[in-house]
């Protein structure tokens, strides 16, 4: 049994994450799975799973975050992703900086002070071109594994410019490039560059506070990390569990309930 005294539940558009912490705020248990269309039974199952792994039979304090945070009926508080990611990353790394969270539905740049406070933030518009969904959709269209597409992109000797800033038009552009015999690796490198430059524009608009930190599932994409470092001339730092930072921050806040 895990020592779980507080829970954080991050209901994202692509994945749902739940984290348990002990009384000192250390992560003691976590679980991640794809977000289902019918959220209510999934959330009930995840909370029951957390209770099964806990040493206590009492109801565990819970804070929810993510786009589906208001759909969690048992949450003591519902807190924005901005606050939760900042809390989670600051506790995990012990310092502030410029946090980039590339999610499935939107992307965020959060400036965190040396004391863990949110100084400023920016969110991408509703277009998916600057989000993880952009890579997911194009990976599906190209028949490429999402987990390895970053590695393939880095193998390209050249890169094709993707001029479309809309995901739908970008897919059409990709199909045309394939039909014209352009190498898959070169297309993938161009797609990653298009996404990264949208993120870089957000970072530059706020002003980069070193170090540069990544959270979210896209943080594991080596091409995104490499291109961010190249474009900004700054080292990218990853927490141990980048996908769990929102849920971890929510669990830390649940300790105060």
């Amino acid at each position: 049994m895990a020592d779980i005294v507080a829970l954080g539940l991050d209901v994202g558009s692509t994945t749902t994450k739940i984290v348990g912490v002990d009384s000192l705020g250390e992560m003691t248990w976590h679980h991640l799975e794809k977000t289902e269309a019918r959220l209510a039974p999934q959330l009930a199952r995840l909370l029951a799973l957390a209770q099964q792994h806990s040493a206590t039979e009492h109801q565990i304090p819970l804070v929810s975050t993510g786009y589906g945070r208001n759909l969690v009926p048992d949450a003591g508080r519902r807190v924005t992703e901005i606050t939760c990611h900042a809390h989670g990353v600051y506790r995990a790394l012990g310092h502030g900086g410029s946090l980039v969270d590339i999610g499935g539905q939107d992307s965020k740049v959060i400036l965190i002070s040396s004391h863990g406070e949110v100084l400023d933030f920016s969110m991408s518009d509703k277009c998916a071109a600057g989000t993880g969904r952009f890579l997911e959709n194009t990976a599906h269209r190209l028949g490429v594994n999402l987990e390895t597409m970053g590695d393939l992109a880095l193998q390209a000797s050249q890169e094709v410019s993707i001029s479309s800033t809309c995901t739908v038009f970008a897919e059409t552009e990709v199909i045309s490039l394939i039909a014209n015999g352009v190498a898959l690796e070169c297309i993938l490198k161009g797609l990653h560059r298009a996404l990264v430059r949208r993120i870089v524009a957000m970072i530059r608009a706020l002003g980069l506070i070193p170090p540069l930190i990544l959270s979210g599932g896209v943080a594991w994409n080596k091409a995104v990390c490499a291109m961010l470092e190249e474009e900004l001339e700054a080292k990218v730092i990853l927490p141990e569990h980048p996908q769990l930072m929102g849920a971890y921050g929510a669990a830390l806040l649940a300790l105060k309930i």
Side-chain angles (χ1 to χ4, degrees):
M1 291 290 182
D3 183 11
I4 302 174
V5 301
L7 288 169
L9 182 58
D10 181 1
V11 186
S13 61
T14 304
T15 57
T16 293
K17 291 77 65 175
I18 186 167
V19 164
V21 297
D22 63 18
S23 59
L24 298 176
E26 295 295 326
M27 191 184 303
T28 56
W29 177 79
H30 59 83
H31 179 79
L32 180 151
E33 61 183 50
K34 287 187 176 296
T35 301
E36 298 174 3
R38 297 183 65 229
L39 270 178
Q42 181 182 22
L43 298 180
R45 175 173 52 78
L46 289 177
L47 292 175
L49 183 64
Q51 198 73 52
Q52 290 171 18
H53 282 82
S54 171
T56 180
E57 295 181 358
H58 301 293
Q59 185 172 356
I60 307 169
L62 168 70
V63 167
S64 63
T65 189
Y67 97 102
R69 63 183 178 273
N70 293 323
L71 301 176
V72 184
D74 298 323
R77 288 181 63 195
R78 297 168 181 86
V79 183
T80 68
E81 301 100 302
I82 303 294
T83 299
C84 289
H85 275 271
H87 269 73
V89 165
Y90 184 77
R91 175 59 189 264
L93 297 177
H95 57 72
S98 298
L99 171 62
V100 177
D101 173 47
I102 305 176
Q105 184 172 261
D106 58 36
S107 293
K108 301 174 260 311
V109 178
I110 309 167
L111 301 184
I112 306 171
S113 76
S114 58
H115 301 291
E117 301 163 334
V118 175
L119 298 174
D120 203 354
F121 69 91
S122 176
M123 294 182 66
S124 62
D125 53 30
K126 294 182 180 180
C127 175
T131 71
R133 187 76 68 188
F134 177 67
L135 294 180
E136 186 177 339
N137 288 350
T138 50
H140 177 73
R141 172 68 70 178
L142 293 169
V144 176
N145 187 296
L146 185 62
E147 283 70 35
T148 59
M149 69 184 301
D151 297 312
L152 287 172
L154 290 176
Q155 292 173 16
S157 57
Q158 296 180 326
E159 114 182 22
V160 177
S161 175
I162 305 297
S163 59
S164 301
T165 57
C166 169
T167 299
V168 176
F169 293 148
E171 286 186 18
T172 303
E173 193 172 347
V174 165
I175 293 169
S176 176
L177 290 168
I178 293 171
N180 283 287
V182 177
L184 176 63
E185 292 83 359
C186 298
I187 297 173
L188 288 174
K189 192 169 185 178
L191 286 166
H192 281 78
R193 184 73 67 186
L195 180 144
V196 165
R197 283 183 172 163
R198 289 177 73 92
I199 301 299
V200 166
M202 294 169 60
I203 296 171
R204 286 179 172 154
L206 282 179
L208 175 65
I209 297 178
L212 181 60
I213 308 162
L214 256 62
S215 67
V218 179
W220 292 120
N221 186 303
K222 293 180 181 177
V224 170
C225 291
M227 289 182 184
L228 277 171
E229 290 183 338
E230 179 185 334
E231 294 276 343
L232 293 167
E233 298 181 348
K235 179 69 177 175
V236 168
I237 295 175
L238 301 184
E240 183 180 359
H241 302 287
Q243 276 186 284
L244 302 178
M245 289 300 96
Y248 183 36
L252 293 172
L253 291 171
L255 281 175
K256 302 176 183 179
I257 293 179

